[in-house]
Structure formats: structure tokens, C-alpha cells
Amino acid sequence: MSVEGAGEPVDRSRSVGDVGERRLIVELTRSSRALDATHRTADVVIGSGDDAAVIDTAGPTVISTDTAVAGRHFRFDWSDPRTVGARAVIQSAADIAAMGGRVTGTVVSIACPADTTVGTVLDLNDGILDATHRLGGRVLGGDLVGADEVVLTVTTVGALDGATPIVVGGARPGDVLAVTGTAVGASAAGLALLLDAHDRGNDELLTEFADLVAAHRLPAPDLGQGPAAAHAGAHAMTDISDGLVEELITMAAASGVALAVSSDRIPVGSDMRSAARRLGVDLREWTVAGGEDHELLGAFAAGTVPPGWTTIGEVRDGTGVRVDGRAVQDLRGWQSFGS
Amino acid sequence: MSVEGAGEPVDRSRSVGDVGERRLIVELTRSSRALDATHRTADVVIGSGDDAAVIDTAGPTVISTDTAVAGRHFRFDWSDPRTVGARAVIQSAADIAAMGGRVTGTVVSIACPADTTVGTVLDLNDGILDATHRLGGRVLGGDLVGADEVVLTVTTVGALDGATPIVVGGARPGDVLAVTGTAVGASAAGLALLLDAHDRGNDELLTEFADLVAAHRLPAPDLGQGPAAAHAGAHAMTDISDGLVEELITMAAASGVALAVSSDRIPVGSDMRSAARRLGVDLREWTVAGGEDHELLGAFAAGTVPPGWTTIGEVRDGTGVRVDGRAVQDLRGWQSFGS
């Protein structure tokens, strides 16, 4: 990477194509370094700006990657770039937490059209930096390339700090199932509200249920519960990204067990109940079928569920998943059962 | 990730949109696991298929990410998907080697249109797997998402095995500059031949200079020279991805030194000389301005250049870069000087 022009600030209203990817990479690296100077962690030997970064955490490294595409996984007319960037980090970081890992760093790829403004890219990057720092990690590098649409890929690395990594396939008959958070399905509720407002051209409910909309734009799972669960000896864990039913089906199949949950034990806020009534939907469409909260689902030996987790069901001999006593094969199966 | 339908093989001629991303992820994970079973490394605690992978190498982790976009960084009408996948890995892995790291693993994001065939995605993945394994690493996970165009992001991690990481900014006056490989600029030569054939509608030279075209489609740098240089005590190192001139300018600025190289010391094959004559171009357009060979550029104390490296110049007090005695400010500056 060349450093020509690194002295002058970049006009945020200019386009990426006009300024050039290389010049903008200099700016992104400068932002990262400036913020990193106030968030130093002992783990980082060499930060962003060289060919590669070097991070030194004792013990194994946990790693996962996640991609979000504009118009498919997020919409710039519904979320500002900072929020989009932060959300991409949380999505990727949740996979680290789901193994019991603590986030140590992220590397980020931003692909964007040439007419994207510099301000949009810098804001995306600020959101990525901020979310990574809030999780205790550092942005370790990235790439910026031209493309026809915005594609964000965040790879997150983490440390286990002596804990055994928790796989999805370790649930045992007799275990209890538990989830983190106080509002599982809030992201799905927020999405439903946004879609409803869009369809009806009426923003009223978005104001009334602003917290749910915010939960969709930027979920805020307590990812520290991942390491907590690992240290508590969780038998199995995953993050709820594709809907609770899908994650249960995956955990049941991978563990060779049957899982049963009661939807009324799933933690929800009173605003979710109100919003479901107002939209005339079954609350379970959000709690059971909804995803993207990135809360954690774990299987624990009875009596070992850590504080901050809510027990929602149990692990049994057999196969398959039961919700409120009814067998479900897949998300579609649950939805047809639910309606 | 759900595992429904994992029993039946997927028809390669069907589209990704038809089969579904989730079903295809199952297939990709199965491919990875099958190949990995024959390439086990002690480093991997948990491979692909869970929320995240876990890798355990003693000491620091080197990490870098790199993105390639169809129509911009590669063309499916010029390269088959296996080659595209392998090239993406080499591009990313070269950054690990440039720090002195040995590749231990990759994680991969594939974004592609719904009408992409399953066969294309499986071939991309096979190329990624094969290249990662050839470098001694394992594919540790990935993501597959829909997009309007193919966007490939490869994040590579590596180990230093006790060596000190080599930054780009460590060159010292009195050092010698050296490069790896026997044909620096071969990728640029191959690209020039492809563009010429495309413009003229004549494939003749592509057959005559098949090795150069192959070097463009899939560069094959000896990335083991990265760790070798680190163990030899290299002072500075980077990979030549953006053209030798650009990398020299970066190294000079980051190190606070002047760099001087002689273009006739840059290692080239006789086929490059022939091809340059046939196309009527200055060979230096490929050796000095060309990039994407992903060979390594290093600065070493005199007398410490390892076998496999060719000395091409020296490090002096001062600033800036000189090629064949002429100062160059940037790639464009060199090109105008060259022509």
C-alpha cells in the first residue's frame, strides 16, 4: 500500500471512484490506528497497515467469517452506514461467542460501487471499529475493492482463555436448554414493523416500538455470555442467527438427541407482546421462527445454567425437535403449524 | 446450519438459487471435511461446520484478508472456477508469507448470483481447498450468500514458529534488496498476452506463451520463502501484489530510506523477453510496473540473503525510489518514464 497523499484529509462527499481505493485505504488505516491508540490491547503485536497483522493470545484461536450484502442483509434506507458496519461485526462475533470465545480482533473487507461516497465508507468503518472495540477486540486489517453493490465481509478471531470450545453437537439427554437475552425475537419484531410501515406508508408504529426497530437495526446480544457458558461447562452452544427452530434442528441432529422447548418460556419484552397484538401476528413467529438476534442457545447439565440465561426446554433421548409439544421438521414446518 | 437433505448428492447443473444456500453450505462443508480427512494438521482443534473453527498453533497468529470481484479481479471466461478459487487463496496467503508466516488456515466467503451453477461454486471451493492444502493449511470455515456478482473473500491465518514478524518498514541503509522467483512480471506478461489476443481475436500467442498465461491465471510464488526470510533475519518484507514500483515506494516511505534497483537484475524467463519483443513492449512494463505475481520483496543485511532470492538493488540513506538511476514517484511516473 502506497502512502501518497496521506497528509490531506479526504472530502467525505467525494466518491470512492474519484478518490481511489488506495487513497481511501490509507484513510481507513489512519482511522483504525487513531481509534486503536485509545483501545490498546496486549494481544496485538502488529496492527493494521502492514501486509498482515499479528496477534498473540495464549492458546487456541477461534475464527469465523460472515458476509452481508446490501439490499439482501441490510438496507441503507433503513440503517445508517455506522449501524450496518456494527451489525456486520456483531453477526460475525456471535459465532466466536458461540464457541465460548472472547473476541480479540476483526479483519474486514468492504466491496462497494465507485459512486459510493467516501463518507459512507468511513462511517461503515467507524461502525466496524466501534463494535469491535466494544467487544474488546481490535480491527486488524482489511481490504477495499470496487464492486457493483456493497458487500461486507467480517472475519472475527477470538481466544478461549483456557476454556474448552463448545461445539453445537454436544447436547446430552437430561441437559436443559437455555438462551441469553431478555427479548428473543426482537429483531424479527423490528423487521415486521419496518415491513408493515413500508407496506402501509405509515411510520406511527416505528415510533411507538422504537426499541424493537433498533433491535433489528443493531442487535445487542451480551456476547460475554459465550465465554461464561464455556467456563460453566456448557455441553453445546450456538448463536441464534437463523431462527430458534433452525438452530434447535441443527443442535438436535448434530448431537443425536431430541430437543423440546416451550415457547412461553422464551424471554420476551412486553413491547413485543403489544407489537404482536397490533400487527395481528402470533408472537411465536418472532420468538420461535425469528432469527438475527444473535443471542446464544446452550445445553447445560441441570443446575449449571449461568446467571443471564433463561431455561426454555430440555434435551431427551431420541431425535427431532418439539415446540410446545408438536414435532417440527424445519422452519417452514413450524410456520405452517404456527398459523 | 441445518443438515436436511445432506444425504443426497447435489446436481451440479442446478442453480444456487434453486438448490438454496443452506443446502449448498452442507455440500461445501462435506467437501471440505472429506478433503481435510486426507490432510490433517495438528493445528486444527475444530474444523469447518460448527459456528466457528478453532486452531491451535504455538505463538502469535498472523492474519490478513483479500477480496476478488468477478469482472474486476478475475474473469470466468479467462479462468475456470478452480483456478479463480486457488488464485484468491494465493493472493491472501502471500500477505501471511510477507510477514514471515506459515499458512495454517483459510476462511472463505463466496457471494454469488442465484443463477450461478452448483458446479461453479463447488469448483471454486475445490480450488480454494486445494490451494490451501498445498500451502500446508486447512479451510476452517466460510459463508455463502446471494449477490448480484461473484465476490470472493479469503482470510488467511498463519503461524510464525518462533520467528519475529517482518514489517514493511524495517529496511536499513546498507541493506540489499532481493526478490523471490524466477519470473517477476510473468503475471503481467500473461495479462498483456490475453488482452492482445482479445483485442485481435487471435489466440496464437496464447499457445506459444502458455506458461506466461498460466502464470497470470494462477501465480505460483514459493511462499515458503517468507518464513525462510524471517528465519534469515530479513529487515523488511512485502509481497509484490501492486507492482514492484509501488511496493518499493511503500517500503521506502515506511522505512524512511531510499531504495534503488536495477531492472536488469530482476529475474525473468527467456519467454518473457520473447513475448515483450513480439508485443513490442518494454520488458520493464512487466518486471517493474507489473504486479500480482505475489513474489516477495525483502531487505536483508548484506551477506544474509537466503537461497532462492535474487538481489536487485540496495537501501541507502535518503528518501524515494530509483529505478535504473531515475527517480520515480509512483507507478504512473514510472510508466511515463518507461515509455
Side-chain angles (χ1 to χ4, degrees), chain A residues 20-37:
Chain A
E21 288 160 24
R22 292 167 67 84
R23 174 70 187 86
L24 196 46
I25 287 174
V26 171
E27 193 66 26
L28 294 172
T29 304
R30 178 156 58 183
S31 294
S32 303
R33 284 179 170 169
L35 254 175
D36 273 351

Side-chain angles (χ1 to χ4, degrees), chain B residues 49-133:
Chain B
D50 216 298
D51 291 288
V54 180
I55 187 164
D56 192 4
T57 53
T61 296
V62 190
I63 184 166
S64 185
T65 195
D66 214 90
T67 297
V69 180
R72 296 170 192 256
H73 303 96
F74 61 87
R75 292 174 55 159
F76 279 122
D77 53 340
W78 284 1
S79 295
D80 61 273
R82 276 188 73 99
T83 305
V84 168
R87 189 176 204 264
V89 168
I90 286 165
Q91 245 176 289
S92 176
D95 288 322
I96 302 304
M99 302 303 290
R102 164 179 65 85
V103 171
T104 52
T106 55
V107 292
V108 180
S109 157
I110 302 175
C112 65
D115 64 0
T116 311
T117 65
V118 166
T120 297
V121 174
L122 292 178
D123 284 350
L124 274 172
N125 194 53
D126 280 352
I128 289 161
L129 284 164
D130 187 52
T132 302
H133 289 142

